[in-house]
Amino acid sequence: MTDKQKRTIYDIAERVSASPSTVSAALNGSWKKRRIKKETAERIIQAARDFGYSANLQARGLRTSNSGLVALLIPDYNRFFSNIAQTFSREVRARGQCPVIVSTDRDPEEEGTTVADLTAYSIDALFVAGAAAPDEISRQCQAARIPHVFVDQPCSLAASVVTDNRNGARILTDEIMASMVPESLAAGEGPYFIGGDRGLPATANRIEGYKAALYARLGAAPEDHILATSYDVGAATLTIADLYAHLGRLPAGLFINSDSVFEGVLRFLATLPEAELQRCAVGCFDYEPFGQLLRFPVHMIRQRHQMLIQRAFALLEAGGPPSVEIVQPELYRAGSR
């Protein structure tokens, strides 16, 4: 075989007088679980280097029994989770490891399959953001002895770091009401809550904060003002269009739950005259920098993604019992820089 031909595990096996399965275990990092001697694994890794063999070559795993891979599960790539992924990647690389980021679309079956696939690659740790089935993911990780932590999603079985969604929503709702037309508040009309999945902890807590603010200011929080069925962009467009048709106008205030929902709502608002937009006080529970350039003012809550990830690493490295750490979000008032 010439140097230009691609080497395989069978060539390495022949070189070191070992079975192909032993070579595979050494290269994919599972040699310790297979009870293969460290000296044998070292010999195989060195032979792979000599051959220029790169597939699944995990030299880091030879000395530490780790792969050097740290994974993050996210539901989608909206602005918030993209910021989470970017910060995560930077923190992982700063530790000399390699980030792996996978979107699972809040699908419990997809989450389970992905965790199983990542386990086969002997990942060093798993970060989970916005999962649909956190406890099941934690059980999988515990069975595989994979250190794990949850971000923006509480889990009863593992450490978690989350935004204070309830308090953030209360602050945002107060700000929306302070910007509403006084006559609307005097008539007992509060802002409508648009978007999100109230079956998920983040939305459920935001609804609680929203309702607390309405009770404090108006003495009531009508359930028919809470339109939280999906984070989908298209669904948000239909929701605001239906609400407009039902009321015959925009409501006096809108609490928009997430940047993806904000995008969907804007698709409809863009069809309306500016005079109508100015009569509706708007707030978004997420930070969208382009929101400052709109034809109408928008209050925003910014989740502190950098602190969420940094605290998640601290919790993971501390290795304590299941706990929830809460990070306060930031309010960006309309017109502020």
Side-chain angles (χ1 to χ4, degrees), residues 146-166:
I146 297 173
H148 56 289
V149 64
F150 289 80
V151 182
D152 190 49
Q153 170 72 66
C155 177
S156 63
L157 304 177
S160 314
V161 56
V162 301
T163 294
D164 191 338
N165 289 291
R166 189 182 190 283

Side-chain angles (χ1 to χ4, degrees), residues 244-265:
Y244 185 89
H246 174 69
L247 298 176
R249 58 176 174 81
L250 283 176
L254 282 174
F255 182 117
I256 301 173
N257 186 30
S258 90
D259 55 1
S260 56
V261 177
F262 189 45
E263 178 183 343
V265 170

Side-chain angles (χ1 to χ4, degrees), residues 20-263:
S21 64
T22 299
V23 172
S24 179
L27 297 182
N28 68 26
S30 64
W31 58 271
K32 193 170 184 180
K33 295 178 183 177
R34 289 274 309 275
R35 297 184 180 180
I36 295 170
K37 291 181 179 180
K38 182 177 179 180
E39 293 77 10
T40 301
E42 287 177 339
R43 192 154 41 89
I44 291 170
I45 293 289
Q46 188 56 54
R49 285 202 190 97
D50 293 343
F51 278 161
Y53 184 89
S54 60
N56 291 324
L57 179 57
Q58 299 167 331
R60 181 184 181 91
L62 174 64
R63 304 193 188 284
T64 67
S65 75
N66 294 334
S67 65
L69 303 176
V70 181
L72 168 68
L73 296 190
I74 57 176
D76 54 55
Y77 289 94
N78 67 15
R79 181 178 292 278
F80 171 66
F81 288 115
S82 293
N83 285 336
I84 286 285
Q86 185 178 38
T87 301
F88 166 81
S89 181
R90 185 165 55 247
E91 291 289 335
V92 171
R93 292 191 184 281
R95 289 164 169 77
Q97 296 171 295
C98 180
V100 178
I101 301 168
V102 185
S103 171
T104 54
D105 201 30
R106 295 190 195 274
D107 182 336
E109 184 175 347
E110 185 68 23
E111 290 171 359
T113 300
T114 301
V115 173
D117 290 342
L118 293 171
T119 299
Y121 282 96
S122 300
I123 58 172
D124 294 354
L126 178 65
F127 287 64
V128 185
D135 285 4
E136 184 54 40
I137 291 175
S138 183
R139 291 188 188 97
Q140 281 184 269
C141 289
Q142 289 177 26
R145 297 185 178 181
I146 297 173
H148 56 289
V149 64
F150 289 80
V151 182
D152 190 49
Q153 170 72 66
C155 177
S156 63
L157 304 177
S160 314
V161 56
V162 301
T163 294
D164 191 338
N165 289 291
R166 189 182 190 283
N167 189 50
R170 182 189 59 77
I171 292 170
L172 181 61
T173 306
D174 282 338
E175 204 65 34
I176 295 170
M177 289 192 291
S179 301
M180 286 172 56
V181 176
E183 291 78 6
S184 297
L185 287 174
E189 181 181 353
Y192 278 73
F193 188 106
I194 307 291
D197 181 349
R198 64 192 308 163
L200 296 173
T203 295
N205 283 315
R206 290 172 195 172
I207 289 174
E208 288 302 311
Y210 158 86
K211 291 170 69 174
L214 261 63
Y215 275 117
R217 183 71 178 266
L218 304 176
E223 280 296 322
D224 63 359
H225 279 40
I226 302 172
L227 308 175
T229 58
S230 172
Y231 282 105
D232 182 71
V233 173
T237 304
L238 292 175
T239 296
I240 187 63
D242 289 345
L243 178 61
Y244 185 89
H246 174 69
L247 298 176
R249 58 176 174 81
L250 283 176
L254 282 174
F255 182 117
I256 301 173
N257 186 30
S258 90
D259 55 1
S260 56
V261 177
F262 189 45
E263 178 183 343

